[in-house]
Amino acid sequence: VPEPTRNTSTSPATGSSGMVSSANPLATRAGLEILEEGGNAFDAAVAVAAALGVVEPMMSGVGGYGAIVLYDAESGETRFLDTGSRTPTALDPGVFRSSTPNFVDNRCGAKAVSTPGNANAWEALSSNYGELRWQRLFEPATELADEGYVLDGITAGWIDAAWPAFPEHARGIYGNGGVPLKAGETLIQEDLARSMRLIAEGGAAVVYEGELGEAIDATVRENGGFLTLEDLRDNRAEWRDPTSIDYRGYEVVTASPPATSWGTLVRLGVMGELGPTSLGHNSAEYLHSYTEVTKRVYSQRIEYSRDPDISPTPLDRLLSEDFWAEEAAQVDPLRASYQPPTAFTSLSNTREHTTHFVVADREGNVVSATQTLGNVFGSRTMPPGTGIWLNDSIAYSTWEPEGNPLDAFPGRYRLVGIS
């Protein structure tokens, strides 16, 4: 499949029958195909998510996790669909701490794999809101994997960078003659196409208790990881009320805990107190203020994030105008006055790579989804015969001080999110 020309125009895109925005034109085309066939935004979102795992394999996929916020035009409801990713129940957090030999390597491989929740979330989205057959939603992704597509420079560059950590069977997919595929060459993923067919035919259950789940369990165990088939069976996509604030007459909505996306709303509220318009768009004063506020929000994420099974995040305070005013008063307009704690520094040193897409249909339904493998190609762990990269979610924990809310706890929610 040749790659469509990327649109570099700065003109706004418009449409009356629906729109799809994703990080890859082939995935966008998959969603548009579903909309044109009569599917709604929820159908198209599943198709886009599945296709992104094929054409943007380093960023997301069946082995990943994420968060989906949707608006249902018929009911007028906005909902948050959490993929329910948890750490393995047998996890030993000690192997990731700096006092343990090889702790850096442990954060990069199979030991860092948490429960992949994407497939269950896709199925929940489809069964609750979709109109087309589940099997139809995977046809674009399966075709792209089976027939292949021409690599662009971005994807080829990531393959080249991650190549030394690829297992041998993955090199057989992403390479030719023992070297990584280059831009302009065709990537064919027959194993991933087969996995997509299994999911299309058997539903998400094949990932969590069927053939694919068994393959994940075996590979993680073989590589010294903690995730088991029991952890996979226990995964559930969970519907939650979203979190929102009123900003200048608009309701801004995002994912609620255990996602840490509330930090985005805090940042928006505090910047509102500082008068962003008067600061000037992208002026030195604006960027300085934004940086100071952002540093404080990341620190607050460490301080206030909570597992909802244990205790609630104090959103009533964090999303109040009184709190925003207190935070705004702490910003020195002349100097960088706030130094983040060590825990912030360790978190920010982790490379963040993910994908985001938005789908809207003619009825007014909207899906906004963020999905990821963690780092590029996740843990660099791929069960042979599946073409599925497994995430390294646990690598995004904050290890010091031990026991902080963003530490890794066996069997608990992964408190990972973009602030």
Side-chain angles (χ1 to χ4, degrees):
V1 178
E3 178 159 355
T5 302
R6 292 181 183 270
N7 182 10
T8 58
S9 171
T10 58
S11 301
T14 61
S16 60
S17 299
M19 296 188 71
V20 180
S21 176
S22 83
N24 188 287
L26 293 171
T28 296
R29 189 171 70 185
L32 291 174
E33 179 182 315
I34 294 299
L35 291 177
E36 289 169 353
E37 193 169 305
N40 59 24
F42 312 109
D43 295 313
V46 175
V48 172
L52 281 171
V54 178
V55 298
E56 203 185 37
M58 63 282 182
M59 298 297 181
S60 68
V62 174
Y65 56 98
I68 301 171
V69 176
L70 64 86
Y71 175 74
D72 174 25
E74 182 176 358
S75 67
E77 283 188 312
T78 304
R79 304 180 76 187
F80 164 39
L81 178 56
D82 178 14
T83 62
S85 181
R86 293 177 180 261
T87 58
T89 55
L91 180 74
D92 175 10
V95 304
F96 305 106
R97 305 198 192 282
S98 58
S99 58
T100 301
N102 301 318
F103 75 95
V104 173
D105 291 339
N106 292 340
R107 295 179 185 180
C108 301
K111 289 182 173 64
V113 178
S114 70
T115 309
N118 282 343
N120 266 341
W122 301 343
E123 190 168 74
L125 191 62
S126 174
S127 62
N128 280 268
Y129 293 101
E131 296 179 351
L132 297 187
R133 293 180 304 110
W134 169 257
Q135 293 90 337
R136 174 68 184 96
L137 309 182
F138 288 85
E139 288 177 5
T142 303
E143 181 179 342
L144 286 165
D146 229 352
E147 298 183 5
Y149 62 94
V150 178
L151 287 175
D152 62 13
I154 296 173
T155 305
W158 284 122
I159 293 172
D160 183 70
W163 181 262
F166 280 8
E168 195 60 36
H169 56 278
R171 291 186 179 188
I173 300 170
Y174 290 90
N176 183 20
V179 298
L181 293 174
K182 296 177 176 59
E185 295 188 299
T186 300
L187 172 61
I188 296 174
Q189 303 169 82
E190 293 178 352
D191 289 348
L192 185 55
R194 178 176 176 274
S195 293
M196 289 295 178
R197 290 191 186 94
L198 288 174
I199 296 170
E201 294 166 3
V206 300
V207 177
Y208 300 98
E209 54 186 325
E211 180 179 337
L212 297 180
E214 292 172 353
I216 292 170
D217 175 277
T219 298
V220 171
R221 287 177 185 270
E222 182 181 326
N223 288 277
F226 302 104
L227 186 73
T228 67
L229 192 58
E230 183 177 355
D231 294 311
L232 292 170
R233 287 173 178 152
D234 288 342
N235 176 262
R236 298 289 185 276
E238 302 178 61
W239 293 101
R240 302 179 183 275
D241 292 330
T243 300
S244 66
I245 64 170
D246 179 84
Y247 183 76
R248 299 185 174 187
Y250 291 92
E251 183 182 11
V252 183
V253 183
T254 190
S256 56
T260 61
S261 307
W262 51 265
T264 301
L265 302 183
V266 174
R267 183 163 49 191
L268 187 61
V270 177
M271 286 300 297
E273 293 288 323
L274 293 170
T277 302
S278 63
L279 292 172
H281 177 64
N282 278 349
S283 67
E285 292 81 4
Y286 174 88
L287 295 175
H288 166 75
S289 298
Y290 184 82
T291 300
E292 290 298 290
V293 170
T294 298
K295 288 190 293 184
R296 294 186 68 85
V297 167
Y298 268 76
S299 181
Q300 291 153 10
R301 185 172 74 163
I302 294 168
E303 183 176 358
Y304 295 114
S305 291
R306 301 287 186 271
D307 182 334
D309 285 348
I310 307 301
S311 63
T313 297
L315 293 180
D316 286 347
R317 169 165 165 72
L318 293 168
L319 301 183
S320 69
E321 292 184 3
D322 287 344
F323 181 76
W324 299 340
E326 293 172 11
E327 288 297 297
Q330 300 299 314
V331 176
D332 188 326
L334 300 178
R335 58 175 55 86
S337 58
Y338 180 71
Q339 296 299 322
T342 302
F344 169 86
T345 304
S346 65
L347 180 68
S348 65
N349 282 341
T350 304
R351 292 182 302 155
E352 294 183 282
H353 300 288
T354 184
T355 199
H356 185 84
F357 62 90
V358 180
V359 182
D361 63 26
R362 70 172 70 225
E363 304 301 327
N365 300 304
V366 180
V367 178
S368 178
T370 300
Q371 300 194 338
T372 186
L373 292 172
N375 284 319
V376 166
F377 294 104
S379 62
R380 319 289 170 87
T381 303
M382 175 190 287
T386 68
I388 296 172
W389 291 109
L390 301 180
N391 70 81
D392 67 342
S393 162
I394 297 171
Y396 280 68
S397 301
T398 301
W399 304 105
E400 303 296 340
E402 183 175 347
N404 76 83
L406 296 182
D407 202 345
F409 301 92
R412 295 257 291 271
Y413 285 113
R414 288 292 303 110
L415 303 185
V416 174
I418 303 302
S419 290

